[in-house]
Amino acid sequence: MRSSLPKMLHPVCGRAMVAWPIIAAREAGAGRVVAIVSPNQNIVPGLPDKVQIVTQPQPDGTGGAIRAALPLIEQAETVLVLSGDVPLLSAETISGLLESHAASGAAATMLTIELEEPGSYGRVVRADAGEVERVVEAKTAGDATPEQLAIREVNAGTYAFQAGPLAEALAGLSNDNAQGEYYLPDVLPALREGRPCRWRLPRRRSRGDDGNQQPR
């Protein structure tokens, strides 16, 4: 976004963008809510009341962000991970994800979407049986092969995890990729060694449902 204001502080229907997914999570029954903030961007003014703040030591990817909250993860049973730039994510969708996760007994359940133009979103790679195998990033040349870039199912950046397995998998994350970042979806292969990883595909949607729509 071409603005000096942090993206997640931009107003959406009277609230900061970041407030909407937090409100939706609470409506879906979330207990403790933690916002992981970058040291380079102060989004605290846009947060609702009673949100705990964890500062990511350095902007080293989504995996690094979640790892910054590891002490809190170790106190939990189920961890719901949302992005702060998805103002149209509903409590109904979050509830459906959590219900599917609880019913399946999976180590991780990930929300995915199908897009006609998936752009730089991470592609969902499935095993022969249809189970989610991993997510391949597509932000930088070299992250994904041409065959993987042709996949239209992408990671929506919304997850439910069993806390214990997630904490263990975070310890093994590597930043050996084109951007040198720790990607949260890279925990999936490690989690699959013990229990399956599931997915939930909501209604079909367009790129305009999140805050990453680019000007044309």
Side-chain angles (χ1 to χ4, degrees):
M1 302 181 80
R2 298 174 182 174
S3 171
S4 60
L5 186 70
K7 178 174 68 173
M8 288 184 284
L9 291 185
H10 278 263
V12 178
C13 296
R15 291 188 176 120
M17 184 185 297
V18 69
W20 288 103
I22 293 173
I23 292 168
R26 284 177 166 164
E27 290 177 352
R32 172 187 283 177
V33 176
V34 179
I36 303 172
V37 301
S38 168
N40 300 329
Q41 290 190 338
N42 180 20
I43 64 168
V44 173
L47 297 175
D49 293 337
K50 298 181 180 179
V51 174
Q52 188 169 349
I53 308 298
V54 170
T55 300
Q56 185 178 1
Q58 55 185 356
D60 56 358
T62 53
I66 301 305
R67 193 156 55 184
L70 185 58
L72 300 178
I73 291 171
E74 292 173 339
Q75 299 173 20
E77 295 183 2
T78 300
V79 177
L80 173 68
V81 177
L82 308 178
S83 299
D85 58 354
V86 285
L88 297 187
L89 182 66
S90 69
E92 180 183 6
T93 297
I94 295 171
S95 295
L97 176 73
L98 292 171
E99 290 167 4
S100 294
H101 179 69
S104 70
T109 306
M110 176 177 65
L111 196 69
T112 72
I113 54 177
E114 291 183 353
L115 298 176
E116 293 181 4
E117 298 180 14
S120 61
Y121 288 93
R123 306 307 201 266
V124 177
V125 177
R126 296 182 177 275
D128 292 340
E131 181 182 321
V132 172
E133 189 174 77
R134 60 195 173 107
V135 174
V136 177
E137 297 297 330
K139 295 178 181 178
T140 304
D143 275 342
T145 66
E147 292 77 13
Q148 290 165 342
L149 289 174
I151 297 172
R152 293 177 52 235
E153 185 182 14
V154 301
N155 172 24
T158 301
Y159 314 81
F161 293 101
Q162 289 188 10
L166 172 62
E168 294 176 6
L170 286 170
L173 275 182
S174 168
N175 64 348
D176 184 16
N177 52 64
Q179 287 201 317
E181 294 186 351
Y182 296 97
Y183 295 141
L184 180 58
D186 285 351
V187 302
L188 297 179
L191 293 175
R192 288 185 69 242
E193 294 179 4
R195 295 186 180 182
C197 296
R198 303 297 186 190
W199 74 98
R200 182 174 176 84
L201 187 68
R203 62 175 176 80
R204 188 174 179 179
R205 53 175 244 178
S206 68
R207 291 185 64 185
D209 283 19
D210 64 18
N212 287 321
Q213 190 170 17
Q214 300 295 323
R216 294 185 182 275

